[in-house]
Each structure stands twice: as structure tokens, then as C-alpha cells.
Amino acid sequence: MDDSRLVKLREELEKARKKRDDWEAKVKDLERRYNEAEKVYVYSIFQTANMTPEQLADLIRSKGILPQIPGGYATENDDSETYEKEDPEE
């Protein structure tokens, strides 16, 4: 194999890597935008239903979609990572 063939292959490889990097960046951006739009959509449904966060969590739990947090459930102050204990008889 001569040197010019190696140079061409190296250039082609560099172009392919650049395209791959561009596509990976595009996929990440699209995933981010999709997740953001999905959250906005879910939030708008939540607002339209005029429910409290606890009511929404109870509804989701009743459908078996939201798992129980062992030992309790998240309160409104979820960012403080405080949990209320559930009644063990339930």
C-alpha cells in the first residue's frame, strides 16, 4: 500500500469521526429537548387537573406506576430529602 492511500484513508477516517461526533452531539441535544418538552407537557396536565403533588402521587401509585419509597413517601419539601413515615397497618 502506498503512502497516498494511507493519507486518503486517514482523511476519510477523520471526516467520519467528525460526523460521528456531530451526530452524537445532535442526539444528546435532541434527547435533552425531548425530555424538557415531555416535562412541560406532563406539568401542564398536572396544572389542568388542579391537583396537589400528593394527590398526583396517590393517583400514580394507585395505577401501579410509581413505586413506594421504603419507609415512607416524599413530602412537598422533596428537595430537603425528608420523608413522612407511612402507617405500617396499611
Side-chain angles (χ1 to χ4, degrees), residues 15-76:
K15 284 181 188 178
R17 285 180 176 155
K18 172 76 170 118
K19 284 182 182 180
R20 179 198 61 200
D21 293 344
D22 290 346
W23 276 106
E24 284 178 357
K26 184 173 184 168
V27 166
K28 282 185 177 189
D29 182 55
L30 287 170
E31 287 173 340
R32 181 192 57 78
R33 291 172 42 202
Y34 178 85
N35 287 334
E36 185 177 311
E38 188 176 47
K39 288 175 186 176
V40 168
Y41 175 71
V42 169
Y43 183 74
S44 69
I45 293 171
F46 173 73
Q47 275 192 316
T48 302
N50 199 24
M51 299 174 78
T52 67
E54 290 80 14
Q55 290 170 326
L56 179 62
D58 289 341
L59 175 65
I60 293 171
R61 257 189 229 102
S62 73
K63 301 296 181 186
I65 300 169
L66 183 67
Q68 294 285 339
I69 297 172
Y73 59 93
T75 64
E76 281 187 49

